Amino acid sequence: LAQGLARCYVVLFAFVCEDNKSVRMGTIMDENRIFCAEQINVPCELPEILKDYTKAVIRADPSAGDTDPTSARMKLFQWSRDYFKRKMAESKH
């Protein structure tokens, strides 16, 4: 579960940054290089979003009882996708 959460956090960070237009992704690798921590713009909402997401995924335990790690990871990713789609829809209303 911890590795799956870490991967979801990375995806979430990209999602939040893209949504807030905080990160501009270029097409050339050199444009995306990070040389120091100050180049990383972390939205102030991210810690609260991660906290809420973590609590929700632990409560739901989407991969409970699944013995296949690949299947469990996929269930976690799918649940996470649906969770953030719901959150996005809620924020638009």
Side-chain angles (χ1 to χ4, degrees):
L1 184 64
Q3 286 180 336
L5 279 174
R7 287 185 180 124
C8 287
Y9 285 164
V10 170
V11 171
L12 169 64
F13 179 73
F15 175 76
V16 169
C17 290
E18 181 179 312
D19 186 50
N20 289 331
K21 306 297 185 229
S22 299
V23 175
R24 302 276 185 221
M25 300 300 281
T27 55
I28 301 173
M29 288 297 289
D30 291 338
E31 291 178 17
N32 295 325
R33 285 195 184 165
I34 295 176
F35 296 100
C36 63
E38 288 77 20
Q39 288 178 279
I40 302 170
N41 184 10
V42 178
C44 60
E45 307 92 5
L46 188 61
E48 188 67 27
I49 291 169
L50 290 177
K51 180 179 164 185
D52 292 344
Y53 166 74
T54 302
K55 286 180 179 181
V57 78
I58 290 171
R59 285 185 193 121
D61 197 8
S63 59
D66 205 329
T67 57
D68 177 33
T70 303
S71 175
R73 194 173 321 131
M74 185 57 73
K75 286 180 182 177
L76 176 62
F77 292 157
Q78 290 169 341
W79 184 91
S80 298
R81 177 201 60 212
D82 295 341
Y83 172 84
F84 288 112
K85 281 185 175 182
R86 275 192 313 275
K87 288 294 185 182
M88 189 78 133
E90 290 171 9
S91 71
K92 290 182 179 179
H93 293 287

